[in-house]
Amino acid sequence: MKMKIVGLIVIFSIIIFAQSKTTIAVATAQSLAPVIKELKIDFEKRERSIELMLITGSSEVITKQIEGGADFDIFISSDTASPEKLWREGFGLERSKIYAKGSLILFSKKKADLSKGITVLRDAAVRRIAIPNPQFTPYGIAAMESITRCGLKDTITPKLIMKEDVNEVAEQSLKSVEAAFLPKSMLSDELFINCNEKDDYWIDVDPASYNPIHQGIIIIKSTAQKDAAKTFVDYVMSDKAKKIFAKY
């Protein structure tokens, strides 16, 4: 009988604990999905009373959703322009903060000669190059800046295949194109588990060839979970989180 009572107390305690958790909706750019998933695991271990619900999409689409009244608490963007736009329009609880800087890579599953660097894109064997659309993602902007500054624009523009978001570029990079520009963080996605060795499948694009990809986070003004949202933003800005970001 005592064992049954103890068992009921444990079950009841678990139910009460689960009900006492605060859930915050975190909208995040698709390119950040792998690192944000790891941050979620670490954060929820540290803050057991807060649970994160992740929603992914392009930064531009998420911005429009927030402007349209989407019920998000936090927006983690792949750029700073999107959260700053929301701040100017009055959608931010406080001004956005820069939490990290993105990195651009050139990826080739078809084993293009990456020892040549980005100039390999001139090769006749490289017939199709997937790139995120610069209208929708900062990685597309960075890719075009690098292409232009390296003097490749006129040569390779006919080879470019624009995709709306980085997920589409990632899929194409594994199927039908000889090369693709991707966020470095995408290499941690399970799609690349068998082809993520540096120099064999990818190289860093020289960061001097494109403007820094600063990334911003903002709390949405309409949130009903201000304290929990601020706790998570403080975590994202912490040294603990920066060590995780550095892996991507």
Side-chain angles (χ1 to χ4, degrees):
M1 183 67 178
K2 287 184 179 179
M3 289 298 293
K4 287 184 179 179
I5 293 173
V6 170
L8 287 172
I9 291 173
V10 171
I11 292 171
F12 185 70
S13 298
I14 291 171
I15 292 172
I16 293 296
F17 177 74
Q19 290 177 339
S20 67
K21 279 192 175 185
T22 299
T23 300
I24 53 176
V26 181
T28 180
Q30 288 169 331
S31 60
L32 300 166
V35 63
I36 299 304
K37 286 177 182 176
E38 183 170 346
L39 289 174
K40 169 181 163 67
I41 293 170
D42 185 63
F43 174 76
E44 290 178 347
K45 285 180 180 176
R46 298 173 185 276
E47 300 289 340
R48 295 186 177 275
S49 63
I50 303 174
E51 187 174 47
L52 306 182
M53 179 174 66
L54 303 181
I55 305 97
T56 60
S58 72
S59 291
E60 180 173 343
V61 169
I62 291 173
T63 299
K64 289 179 179 177
Q65 289 175 333
I66 293 170
E67 291 169 333
D71 192 18
F72 301 146
D73 299 299
I74 292 173
F75 174 29
I76 306 178
S77 180
S78 59
D79 62 8
T80 53
S82 299
E84 277 297 293
K85 181 174 185 286
L86 291 171
W87 167 251
R88 291 194 303 271
E89 294 173 342
F91 289 97
L93 181 65
E94 53 191 32
R95 192 156 194 175
S96 65
K97 299 177 180 178
I98 295 175
Y99 64 89
K101 186 169 70 172
S103 298
L104 184 69
I105 65 165
L106 181 65
F107 176 85
S108 176
K109 188 179 181 183
K110 297 186 184 295
K111 297 292 190 79
D113 186 0
L114 297 176
S115 66
K116 296 180 179 179
I118 193 176
T119 61
V120 70
L121 300 179
R122 287 197 186 106
D123 289 4
V126 179
R127 296 177 291 113
R128 294 157 299 184
I129 306 162
I131 180 175
N133 193 320
Q135 292 183 346
F136 302 122
T137 165
Y139 290 96
I141 294 172
M144 288 307 302
E145 287 173 345
S146 184
I147 288 167
T148 302
R149 291 174 185 175
C150 293
L152 300 172
K153 186 176 180 181
D154 291 340
T155 306
I156 72 169
T157 293
K159 302 181 180 184
L160 297 180
I161 299 173
M162 298 283 185
K163 292 297 178 180
E164 185 172 336
D165 57 52
V166 294
N167 275 358
E168 290 186 16
V169 175
E171 290 173 5
Q172 288 296 308
S173 73
L174 297 170
K175 294 178 181 178
S176 59
V177 299
E178 285 71 42
F181 287 94
L182 287 168
K184 193 172 186 177
S185 58
M186 291 296 293
L187 291 172
S188 298
D189 191 284
E190 60 184 13
L191 288 172
F192 295 91
I193 193 167
N194 295 318
C195 51
N196 59 11
E197 294 88 356
K198 188 175 183 181
D199 297 326
D200 285 340
Y201 292 99
W202 64 275
I203 55 170
D204 289 300
V205 175
D206 183 0
S209 69
Y210 59 91
N211 293 329
I213 307 172
H214 293 303
Q215 299 168 320
I217 184 170
I218 190 168
I219 299 174
I220 307 307
K221 193 174 185 178
S222 60
T223 179
Q225 310 294 346
K226 291 182 175 62
D227 290 342
K230 287 181 178 180
T231 297
F232 180 61
V233 170
D234 287 344
Y235 166 77
V236 170
M237 301 299 296
S238 71
D239 290 339
K240 304 179 193 74
K242 290 187 188 306
K243 288 179 181 178
I244 294 176
F245 279 118
K247 291 159 56 178
Y248 295 81

